Amino acid sequence: MNKLFVTAIFSFSYMAAMAQKPMNNIYQSDAYSLSKDKVTQGAFEAVALSETMLHSNYQSPVNLDISPDLSFKFSINGKDNEMLSGKNHQVSIIAENGKFETPVIRFGQQFKGHNPTVKGVFLSPDTKFTIKLDMREVLAAFAFKGFYTAYDGTKIYKADFKGVFVAGSISPLIWDFDNLSNHKELELKDADGDGIYTVTLEMNKAQEKKTTASSWKLTKDISAFPQYKSAVPMMDALYNLGLEEMENAVEPDSTFRTGKEWAGVWTRDISYSIILSMATLQPKVAQYSLLRKVKNNRVIQDTGTGGSWPVSSDRMIWAVAAWEVYKTTGDQAWLSKAYTIIKNSVEDDLKNVYDPQTGLVRGESSFLDWRDQTYPKWMQSADIYASENLGTNAVHYQTNQVLAQMAVLMKDQAAAKKYAKIAALIKEGINTQLWMPEKGYYGQYLYGRQFKILSPRSEALGEALTVLFDIASAEQQQSVIARTPITNFGIPCIYPQIPNIPPYHNNAVWPFVQAYWSLAAAKAGNAEALVQSMSAIYRPAALFLTNKENFVSTSGDFAGTQVNSSNMLWSLAGNLSLVYKVLFGMDMQENGLVFRPFIPEVLKGERTLTNFKYRKAVLDIQLNGYGNVIKSITMDGKILPLAMISANVKGKHQIVIVLADNKLEKGKVAHAEDYFSIVAPLLKKESTLISWEKVEGAENYEVIRNGQEIVKSKELSYNAKQSGEYQVIALDKNGVQSFASEPVLITEAKEIQTIAMETAAPKSALPYQGYTGDGFIEVSKTKNKNITVKVNVAEAGTYAIDFRYANGNGPTNTENKCAIRTFKVDGLFAGTFVFPQRGKEEWSDWGFSNVNSIKLTKGEHEFNLSFEDWNENMNGEINQAMLDYLRVISVK
């Protein structure tokens, strides 16, 4: 008999039988429900047949009704450079004889071939879709001027032209501009040299049907790991699924694999996973994996925006993971090794990413390392380096806390005081600069150029970490958990969402982040938030029968995000952590294991965790009751003081915990509909008049000068009567803000001084274009390692300093060749300049570095730009940029 038919009969029979039983719901919402043995979401159900078997009939709705309405855009060199953000070509792909062809579309001129389709008309499977693009205007500009000027004034030089691609809203098209160049199937070609580029794509491929397995049965031997049993079969089965997928995630070389689709060891992925549960379950693999991410006795920042560190600086979550491994194992050799690595890394960070003015740390949001997904489009890699982010700062705070605690154990009292003081400064900075009392949670990040403003979006991982690391006060912790927006399927990475950006970090829920939120909800004592959060982890794992990397916030579906993987390490680690760190409340400390169970009343009953290995002991644990107050706890029948097992315990022991069945405060959850902000205004400047086009959905506009709101208006222009740095924010009918516009500078020409770098060092002979003056200079590890520039200022005051530069050593989104230099004024350290990558071999693409603001007295000063040991980047060999001029701006 057909196996699928048998499965269908069994599934129908079982589902029908289950329908006769009372639901006994653990969690119920309009979107889905979770009972002891079932997850239900509309017509879809997942059922725990036993603790080792699951069945699901889930099928992604993405495949059922694909609209033929396509939004798309062309891209030179894989950059979003054809038209304004949000301005796209539109077409309805209504195939005839399996084919559809666009007319010839001119680059930079919007094509609207979209007609609202009739209800019930969908994209035909296996449609051959041909796109035609007229590039003759671009090619003519290359021929006559040597460059083409994009809509925003950016010059794209003929020498830098690598190809033209298409991005869009329906697979196989993607909106990921940064990765377009890696998708050769999306590159248009001019086969006959007539300037008309074409590409043919196969749309709605039958083999691309988005499905997952219909059943799971445990096949691996997981007996070496802790065995969990409770009165909730669904949770028991998903725990066992997590253990099996964990075994899949260990490579033959005893390091962690990040996910089924993600080979290799990634610093942040393994670190967040180790903290959640891998230190407990796989301490040796955790150590091997962490050491794989060390070079020159320093933590490696993986490839990232602008060429990795210091644009991305969240590598230091490694330190928190290393500390978790020590607390779990008590391995003194590991402590000594990790201490040295962390200390070296922090010392480099102190010189390159710490901001003494705010007390915060610079660098991209932790794990949110796809810039368009969480940052305004206008922000360059240098701007992202200068931003100061909630999650990243929470990581650096805890890193310094860990380092101080390690220093005590290493008997280095001076270091302990030093790093504890640094941690305190970061904590103060977070609470001073990022806390939003009117919202009751923290803002996403400080961003801007000369002046920073706070993005009021929530940032889920960062919010959770402030609770877990005690950055937030007890009162703040309760507020963060109760007031941070939660949508139907969980806590989105950011809220509100960004318009015109496809789901990945934007408009997405990540189970590992949800796990940290669960830990935070338990710590804050919010039972309702905890049950909702745990359910948001169990729902996708049960329906998809794997621990997926992410899913779309608006639909709860795995298929709509830009990239996704099954068997994702940090997702499965989060799943398992709910048992250890929430239900049993295990808190690993350097001198023992403390129990702080948290059992919501809907999960009451007996549960056991046997064969749990802690240092040199093996524990069989029985937990009864509900609440978060321990009525009694014994080890081998004897009372266990302070609910703590000594780190020196050996052998096998029986732990029995009885909870007091205390009524937990219900707590509040800030349920919110998925919400998208409006787009940011694009400013134009004519003398002192700043203007912008109407933003769709905007009711008002806030004008910002030097980081402060000066007026709110419905007008589409503003006459700036004072010099300064201006931005505009659009507000919708609910008062929800767009991102702030790119800053524009209003100042007199005399307030800006530029100094050609070829007057300070020998001019480069490299054949790059787009520079000003007589040329440019090269800085590298061997050329112009130390440059001195004399600068004369007419009056005392604050000055903003930056450089116009080029770095074609890599793309904007990956690799590790960000150039870094130390800046001194009159012999004193004044900051760090970073020169991130701007495009692979795009050496004629010039932009500005980050800004360092300094106070200068009237008269001559000596500026020094040097390559120091602590400026070594993650590449180690190439640390190179071209410098056009130094800019000195008087800040009024």
Side-chain angles (χ1 to χ4, degrees):
M1 187 179 286
N2 185 292
K3 289 175 74 175
L4 289 175
F5 182 65
V6 172
T7 301
I9 292 175
F10 173 77
S11 174
F12 177 82
S13 301
Y14 185 84
M15 300 285 183
M18 292 302 295
Q20 310 294 322
K21 298 176 66 175
M23 287 300 293
N24 197 10
N25 276 350
I26 292 170
Y27 177 77
Q28 176 79 49
S29 74
D30 293 339
Y32 69 95
S33 65
L34 167 68
S35 68
K36 289 187 175 183
D37 51 15
K38 185 190 295 186
V39 171
T40 304
Q41 182 181 320
F44 302 125
E45 286 190 336
V47 180
L49 305 178
S50 71
E51 64 188 29
T52 59
M53 291 182 66
L54 290 162
H55 184 278
S56 172
N57 67 353
Y58 187 83
Q59 181 177 325
S60 170
V62 164
N63 298 107
L64 302 180
D65 305 321
I66 299 179
S67 170
D69 299 336
L70 172 70
S71 293
F72 65 104
K73 187 180 266 186
F74 300 108
S75 161
I76 295 175
N77 295 344
K79 294 185 177 179
D80 188 0
N81 50 18
E82 187 193 10
M83 297 181 290
L84 284 171
S85 175
K87 187 176 182 180
N88 304 317
H89 305 294
Q90 297 172 340
V91 69
S92 297
I93 308 174
I94 307 298
E96 291 185 11
N97 300 318
K99 297 180 180 179
F100 183 87
E101 189 175 284
T102 70
V104 177
I105 302 169
R106 183 183 299 175
F107 187 90
Q109 183 173 314
Q110 186 180 28
F111 172 73
K112 290 187 176 181
H114 163 74
N115 295 310
T117 50
V118 179
K119 187 176 181 180
V121 176
F122 305 112
L123 179 61
S124 299
D126 300 316
T127 296
K128 299 292 190 297
F129 175 47
T130 299
I131 305 172
K132 294 183 175 181
L133 170 65
D134 185 350
M135 284 284 286
R136 288 176 294 190
E137 183 179 329
V138 176
L139 298 175
F142 284 163
F144 291 106
K145 296 189 291 186
F147 60 86
Y148 170 77
T149 304
Y151 76 90
D152 60 355
T154 301
K155 292 179 179 178
I156 304 169
Y157 282 84
K158 179 180 179 180
D160 288 348
F161 179 62
K162 303 296 183 300
V164 60
F165 300 81
V166 60
S169 59
I170 303 176
S171 177
L173 294 172
I174 60 173
W175 278 121
D176 178 10
F177 286 94
D178 285 336
N179 280 310
L180 275 180
S181 59
N182 297 323
H183 290 266
K184 294 301 180 183
E185 71 278 10
L186 303 181
E187 183 176 3
L188 293 89
K189 296 288 188 180
D190 181 8
D192 56 9
D194 64 352
I196 307 300
Y197 285 65
T198 65
V199 67
T200 298
L201 304 170
E202 192 169 343
M203 310 298 287
N204 196 12
K205 284 186 181 181
Q207 62 265 37
E208 286 186 347
K209 196 171 184 181
K210 303 293 186 183
T211 59
T212 52
S214 61
S215 62
W216 169 80
K217 182 177 181 180
L218 180 66
T219 58
K220 289 186 178 293
D221 180 7
I222 58 172
S223 61
F225 303 103
Q227 303 296 295
Y228 175 66
K229 294 184 187 301
S230 73
V232 185
M234 179 60 75
M235 294 172 64
D236 296 359
L238 291 174
Y239 174 85
N240 290 328
L241 169 66
L243 287 181
E244 181 167 78
E245 291 203 322
M246 176 194 68
E247 291 207 75
N248 295 338
V250 178
E251 299 280 30
D253 66 353
S254 293
T255 60
F256 287 122
R257 182 184 180 90
T258 300
K260 184 178 179 182
E261 313 302 329
W262 292 103
V265 181
W266 295 74
T267 303
R268 69 172 67 90
D269 295 62
I270 62 164
S271 297
Y272 280 116
S273 303
I274 288 165
I275 297 163
L276 284 168
S277 60
M278 291 300 105
T280 294
L281 292 167
Q282 298 276 9
K284 281 298 180 185
V285 177
Q287 287 184 4
Y288 297 148
S289 299
L290 288 170
L291 290 177
R292 183 68 63 86
K293 305 309 297 183
V294 174
K295 181 180 178 182
N296 298 328
N297 254 348
R298 287 161 172 79
V299 180
I300 295 171
Q301 181 80 44
D302 293 314
T303 61
T305 297
S308 187
W309 185 83
V311 177
S312 295
S313 62
D314 69 335
R315 61 180 179 151
M316 295 315 301
I317 192 64
W318 189 101
V320 187
W323 181 234
E324 192 73 15
V325 170
Y326 171 71
K327 290 188 295 181
T328 303
T329 63
D331 185 335
Q332 293 297 314
W334 172 254
L335 173 67
S336 178
K337 181 177 291 188
Y339 178 67
T340 300
I341 293 166
I342 298 167
K343 190 175 181 182
N344 289 342
S345 304
V346 167
E347 288 299 320
D348 284 351
D349 280 346
L350 283 169
K351 297 182 175 71
N352 289 295
V353 297
Y354 280 61
D355 181 353
Q357 294 182 358
T358 61
L360 296 174
V361 178
R362 302 181 181 94
E364 188 165 48
S365 294
S366 183
F367 118 86
L368 303 174
D369 61 339
W370 188 337
R371 60 179 185 158
D372 287 355
Q373 288 281 327
T374 46
Y375 287 94
K377 285 253 183 198
W378 60 262
M379 285 183 74
Q380 302 286 312
S381 298
D383 298 317
I384 292 174
Y385 158 78
S387 65
E388 298 176 355
N389 299 275
L390 177 63
T392 300
N393 273 274
V395 166
H396 282 274
Y397 164 79
Q398 190 67 3
T399 293
N400 281 280
Q401 285 284 83
V402 162
L403 195 51
Q405 290 172 277
M406 284 184 165
V408 171
L409 296 177
M410 298 297 292
K411 303 191 185 320
D412 188 347
Q413 296 303 321
K417 290 180 181 178
K418 174 182 177 177
Y419 298 116
K421 183 177 180 180
I422 293 169
L425 290 172
I426 298 172
K427 179 176 180 178
E428 181 182 1
I430 292 172
N431 283 304
T432 302
Q433 304 288 338
L434 303 181
W435 177 253
M436 301 184 295
E438 73 283 3
K439 290 182 178 290
Y441 52 86
Y442 294 92
Q444 183 183 15
Y445 47 61
L446 299 178
Y447 69 118
R449 291 222 170 110
Q450 292 182 21
F451 296 89
K452 304 290 192 299
I453 60 175
L454 177 62
S455 169
R457 283 177 166 82
S458 63
E459 192 255 280
L461 180 60
E463 309 289 350
L465 295 182
T466 63
V467 173
L468 294 170
F469 297 159
D470 286 319
I471 294 166
S473 68
E475 182 180 355
Q476 285 176 310
Q477 290 177 25
Q478 292 185 350
S479 176
V480 166
I481 299 302
R483 297 179 66 181
T484 301
I486 308 294
T487 55
N488 278 340
F489 294 103
I491 185 164
C493 294
I494 60 170
Y495 189 91
Q497 318 294 353
I498 305 172
N500 306 315
I501 298 294
Y504 185 62
H505 294 137
N506 188 57
N507 187 19
V509 176
W510 287 59
F512 99 89
V513 175
Q514 194 75 57
Y516 277 97
W517 187 253
S518 299
L519 270 59
K523 186 171 187 292
N526 190 323
E528 184 174 348
L530 175 60
V531 171
Q532 188 278 334
S533 187
M534 293 175 70
S535 301
I537 293 170
Y538 290 138
R539 179 203 68 88
L543 290 174
F544 309 154
L545 297 179
T546 182
N547 289 280
K548 281 285 189 181
E549 180 178 2
N550 51 48
F551 54 85
V552 181
S553 177
T554 48
S555 67
D557 186 33
F558 66 86
T561 61
Q562 292 288 281
V563 182
N564 210 337
S565 176
S566 301
N567 208 129
M568 197 69 181
L569 178 67
W570 52 14
S571 299
L572 68 90
N575 175 343
L576 297 167
S577 74
L578 299 181
V579 170
Y580 308 139
K581 291 182 177 288
V582 175
L583 300 179
F584 285 85
M586 294 179 173
D587 180 11
M588 299 288 178
Q589 299 184 359
E590 60 265 38
N591 59 347
L593 167 59
V594 176
F595 290 94
R596 296 189 178 95
F598 193 110
I599 307 294
E601 189 171 358
V602 293
L603 297 176
K604 66 183 178 181
E606 181 179 308
R607 46 188 34 87
T608 60
L609 188 66
T610 58
N611 194 35
F612 184 86
K613 298 177 178 66
Y614 171 63
R615 297 201 180 186
K616 295 181 179 180
V618 177
L619 309 177
D620 289 343
I621 311 165
Q622 179 182 322
L623 176 60
N624 294 285
Y626 63 89
N628 61 352
V629 175
I630 295 176
K631 181 179 179 181
S632 67
I633 179 169
T634 61
M635 183 167 74
D636 303 328
K638 297 179 180 178
I639 294 174
L640 198 61
L642 304 177
M644 181 176 183
I645 295 175
S646 168
N648 299 318
V649 70
K650 297 179 182 179
K652 189 162 186 174
H653 300 277
Q654 305 290 323
I655 310 296
V656 178
I657 306 171
V658 179
L659 296 178
D661 291 350
N662 60 298
K663 292 289 184 182
L664 297 164
E665 284 191 30
K666 186 178 179 184
K668 293 182 180 179
V669 176
H671 294 289
E673 295 297 318
D674 286 285
Y675 198 98
F676 290 80
S677 65
I678 53 182
V679 300
L682 181 68
L683 305 189
K684 297 177 182 177
K685 181 183 74 167
E686 292 182 23
S687 184
T688 61
L689 182 67
I690 303 168
S691 62
W692 55 93
E693 293 183 7
K694 178 173 174 55
V695 172
E696 184 178 352
E699 294 285 325
N700 285 293
Y701 301 91
E702 275 181 20
V703 180
I704 309 291
R705 175 184 174 271
N706 292 353
Q708 301 293 322
E709 179 187 339
I710 54 172
V711 69
K712 190 175 289 183
S713 170
K714 294 184 180 295
E715 301 298 322
L716 300 179
S717 63
Y718 179 78
N719 191 16
K721 297 177 181 178
Q722 290 180 283
S723 63
E725 186 179 73
Y726 286 83
Q727 294 175 277
V728 175
I729 295 172
L731 295 95
D732 69 12
K733 63 182 180 181
N734 296 315
V736 176
Q737 297 183 1
S738 71
F739 277 128
S741 67
E742 182 170 12
V744 297
L745 184 64
I746 302 293
T747 191
E748 297 181 52
K750 67 178 183 178
E751 305 295 347
I752 303 176
Q753 183 180 171
T754 60
I755 299 169
M757 291 306 293
E758 67 270 19
T759 64
K763 181 170 68 173
S764 173
L766 291 166
Y768 306 143
Q769 299 171 281
Y771 56 84
T772 62
D774 294 329
F776 57 89
I777 70 168
E778 177 185 1
V779 294
S780 70
K781 292 182 70 174
T782 58
K783 295 180 180 178
N784 298 314
K785 290 180 64 176
N786 197 307
I787 304 167
T788 298
V789 182
K790 300 287 187 181
V791 177
N792 201 301
V793 296
E795 59 183 58
T798 300
Y799 290 82
I801 317 296
D802 61 9
F803 288 86
R804 188 170 188 258
Y805 82 99
N807 182 346
N809 280 311
T812 56
N813 66 318
T814 187
E815 298 192 19
N816 56 11
K817 304 183 190 78
C818 178
I820 312 163
R821 294 297 181 273
T822 292
F823 179 51
K824 294 178 183 176
V825 176
D826 299 328
L828 298 176
F829 179 81
T832 299
F833 280 109
V834 299
F835 308 104
Q837 298 163 187
R838 296 184 59 82
K840 187 75 171 177
E841 298 301 328
E842 294 181 45
W843 286 102
S844 298
D845 183 331
W846 298 83
F848 286 97
S849 69
N850 62 301
V851 173
N852 277 297
S853 294
I854 55 172
K855 293 186 183 297
L856 296 174
T857 57
K858 179 181 178 181
E860 187 176 78
H861 296 272
E862 186 175 275
F863 287 7
N864 181 261
L865 194 70
S866 63
F867 176 76
E868 306 294 345
D869 291 343
W870 54 82
N871 298 139
E872 193 71 76
N873 64 16
M874 293 294 116
N875 183 269
E877 295 181 11
I878 299 173
N879 197 318
Q880 175 196 35
M882 308 301 147
L883 303 185
D884 185 14
Y885 61 75
L886 165 71
R887 186 167 63 168
V888 183
I889 305 171
S890 177
V891 178
K892 299 295 186 182

